[in-house]
Amino acid sequence: MGYKIVVVGATGNVGREMLNILEERAFPIEQLAVLASRRSLGTEVSFGDKTLKTQDLDTFDFTGWDMALFAVGSEATKQYAPLAAKAGCVVIDNSSLYRYDADVPLIVPEVNPEAVHGYAKKNIIANPNCSTAQMVVALKPLHDRARIKRVVVSTYQSVSGAGKAGADELWDQTKAIYNPTDNKPPKVFSKQIAFNVIPHIDVFMDDGTTKEEWKMVAETKKIVDPKIKVTATCVRVPVFVGHSEAINIEFEDHLDEDEARDILRQAPGIMVIDKRENGGYVTPVECVGDFATFISRIRQDSTIDNGLNLWCVSDNLRKGAALNAVQIAELLGREVLKKG
Ligand SMILES: NC(=O)c1ccc[n+]([C@@H]2O[C@H](COP(=O)([O-])OP(=O)(O)OC[C@H]3O[C@@H](n4cnc5c(N)ncnc54)[C@H](OP(=O)(O)O)[C@@H]3O)[C@@H](O)[C@H]2O)c1
């Protein structure tokens, strides 16, 4: 006995990773369908040692399917997610379309699993932004102990966060650096990304922040606590996979760095690697393919009363998208559908 699962956007970065993770975690599957656009009709994708052919999302009938894991971007989600939901198939969506909808739960299973019961209003559950997901896994256990007042975060986000096209642009521009006649002007990013960093992700808002920065603020409030103040600077860096974050936290109560390290060691989804020596911390290339959110460089911020600094690294295609979506599917199965 298992679930009838649809992976929507199965040819994309997140979709392929969702297939890997469903298989790695032995998700109880009775039947699996893989969908993409008509362009990819018949394209083969791997699921363990099997090869599956993609079907066209536009003509797919979601009736009788239990859950659809969407990773197709907001526009296609807007068109197709309501059809799936209406057909009785619960949508778990990776786009930003439904994240701020009061009738749609926004879930990180280590942080707010109880929110799953709100899925029924629209038959849709939202997955957070990649930068938010890894940060709230780290914030929640510390908030439970010492109440967070304010977070100042700077991100170092990999190009795979901008889909296949983002990763291709870094690859092509990197090769072109050594062959200047093969000049590759930026298309996905607003400036050259190879050997550069760009302090601009998503569109600009009226107050000068970017939408990516706004998402970290709004999503942290919805998932952890509306009272937490967050200010973010989101930066794209020439790394293929793995987002990093330098996080400064101000608490209401005093929290010693050793106690914070112990709390994080015991927290779900977290791996603490924190030695004060060369290499005693995690960098993005080391987190690729892992389930954990890695925390390093935990230290007191002596410039404020109750402050801590830490370094947080995770695979953005996993905890930032595919893993979190599969964890939501597991949670929904365990708590609500109970077929597994
Ligand atoms: N990458 C990340 O770190 C990350 C993190 C969190 C959330 N997300 C979100 O996850 C979603 C997917 O991201 P990605 O990085 O996997 O993008 P991607 O690599 O560009 O893949 C996009 C996927 O969507 C499919 N698609 C696009 N338009 C479609 C349409 N009209 N009908 C059917 N299929 C369509 C594509 O199919 P074809 O191959 O047929 O074009 C492809 O399978 C986005 O909403 C993104 O914001 C991504």
Side-chain angles (χ1 to χ4, degrees), residues 7-24 34-36 40 43-48 51-52 54 69 71 94 164 317-318 322-323 326:
V7 172
V8 187
T11 52
N13 274 343
V14 175
R16 286 178 194 271
E17 206 59 42
M18 290 199 294
L19 290 168
N20 291 337
I21 292 170
L22 286 167
E23 205 269 335
E24 281 169 33
V34 289
L35 313 184
S40 308
T43 300
E44 293 187 337
V45 294
S46 303
F47 177 64
T51 302
L52 305 171
T54 55
L69 279 56
N94 275 285
K164 284 181 296 190
L317 299 177
R318 291 199 157 217
L323 170 63
V326 172

Side-chain angles (χ1 to χ4, degrees), residues 38-297:
R38 193 161 297 157
R39 295 181 291 275
S40 308
L41 186 65
T43 300
E44 293 187 337
V45 294
S46 303
F47 177 64
D49 54 9
K50 295 192 195 75
T51 302
L52 305 171
K53 281 198 164 58
T54 55
Q55 305 177 51
D56 181 5
L57 168 61
D58 194 47
T59 53
F60 188 79
D61 181 1
F62 286 91
T63 310
W65 294 82
D66 295 306
M67 303 182 215
L69 279 56
F70 268 67
V72 287
S74 294
E75 246 173 70
T77 304
K78 194 175 191 174
Q79 189 176 350
Y80 298 102
L83 301 179
K86 199 167 168 217
C89 174
V90 184
V91 170
I92 299 171
D93 179 34
N94 275 285
S95 82
S96 58
L97 187 68
Y98 292 103
R99 288 181 195 154
Y100 319 108
D101 184 328
D103 290 336
V104 172
L106 176 65
I107 300 180
V108 173
E110 294 89 340
V111 179
N112 61 339
E114 66 291 342
V116 73
H117 297 286
Y119 84 99
K121 285 189 191 149
K122 286 205 169 155
N123 237 11
I124 298 174
I125 299 172
N127 210 30
N129 179 263
C130 38
S131 315
T132 310
Q134 69 184 68
M135 183 172 80
V136 298
V137 170
L139 294 185
K140 174 72 162 108
L142 301 176
H143 183 57
D144 286 347
R145 160 64 182 80
R147 312 308 295 170
I148 294 172
K149 280 164 67 176
R150 178 169 184 254
V151 174
V152 182
V153 56
S154 298
T155 70
Y156 307 75
Q157 297 182 220
S158 70
V159 292
S160 58
K164 284 181 296 190
D168 289 348
E169 189 154 305
L170 173 59
W171 178 245
D172 291 340
Q173 283 182 0
T174 305
K175 285 188 296 179
I177 292 273
Y178 298 103
N179 183 9
T181 52
D182 190 19
N183 180 32
K184 299 282 180 201
K187 278 197 210 137
V188 177
F189 302 112
S190 50
K191 299 209 180 201
Q192 175 186 314
I193 185 63
F195 302 92
N196 201 7
V197 298
I198 306 173
H200 170 197
I201 302 179
D202 210 330
V203 296
F204 277 96
M205 316 277 287
D206 288 343
D207 66 355
T209 59
T210 62
K211 187 87 183 280
E212 186 80 355
E213 291 157 358
W214 177 85
K215 286 173 188 169
M216 291 192 80
V217 177
E219 294 177 21
T220 301
K221 286 178 181 292
K222 183 164 175 179
I223 298 166
V224 188
D225 187 336
K227 290 202 215 71
I228 297 178
K229 292 180 188 166
V230 179
T231 180
T233 302
C234 293
V235 181
R236 189 71 72 191
V237 297
V239 167
F240 281 104
V241 179
H243 286 0
S244 308
E245 299 174 340
I247 308 176
N248 175 266
I249 312 168
E250 184 178 358
F251 298 93
E252 276 175 24
D253 304 330
H254 180 73
L255 179 59
D256 174 78
E257 61 189 22
D258 292 326
E259 188 184 351
R261 201 173 290 109
D262 285 345
I263 289 170
L264 290 168
R265 273 207 182 97
Q266 284 162 32
I270 287 180
M271 180 81 78
V272 174
I273 309 281
D274 190 19
K275 291 194 177 146
R276 293 175 176 180
E277 61 189 37
N278 288 346
Y281 43 83
V282 171
T283 59
V285 290
E286 294 154 299
C287 78
V288 176
D290 221 300
F291 287 150
T293 292
F294 293 92
I295 307 292
S296 309
R297 308 278 333 271

